[in-house]
Amino acid sequence: MILSDGLRTAATSVRLWFSPARIRAEGSTPDYRFSLANERTFLAWLRTGLALVGGGFAVDQFFPRLHSSLRASFTVVLLAGGALCALRAVNHWVRCERAMRRGEDLPVSRFPAALALAVGGLAVAVAVLALIGWTV
């Protein structure tokens, strides 16, 4: 039952990504400055996702001597992180817009902390491998 409720909520959320009219129908129109700030945050998340995708391609291209499975792992993690970041961007934008229209507190998320830890850990691993020239 809980799983089906979660799936229903997720499906509703994804439908809102493509239906701005449904978002506008909720609550009252917030100050445009807040909506525009929400949009700038969305765009910043998209830039972060693009940077992760670019990092994935860079690892693949600039570490040819790195063991192929390790290089592929780093590449896939960065590419998947970029995709996840882009999806999270639109989801967060919708959630914030709805909260503002309803006069609710903005939603909180652990995603920024998880993303920062993952990127930081991956960056340290790549830096160490680059410094020691690991080519196993």
Side-chain angles (χ1 to χ4, degrees), residues 40-56:
R40 285 190 301 273
T41 302
F42 166 75
L43 293 172
W45 278 103
L46 284 182
R47 286 190 301 272
T48 301
L50 285 171
L52 290 170
V53 168

Side-chain angles (χ1 to χ4, degrees), residues 55-121:
F57 286 124
V59 166
D60 188 51
Q61 293 299 308
F62 296 118
F63 287 94
R65 295 182 316 141
L66 191 61
H67 189 273
S68 63
S69 62
L70 189 58
R71 188 177 74 233
S73 296
F74 283 159
T75 299
V76 168
V77 166
L78 285 165
L79 292 174
L84 183 62
C85 198
L87 293 174
R88 182 67 181 129
V90 70
N91 185 52
H92 186 72
W93 176 82
V94 167
R95 291 174 59 215
C96 287
E97 197 65 30
R98 289 179 79 195
M100 287 187 298
R101 295 187 72 77
R102 293 174 175 176
E104 300 172 351
D105 290 339
L106 293 179
V108 296
S109 173
R110 292 185 182 114
F111 185 76
L115 180 65
L117 289 173
V119 169

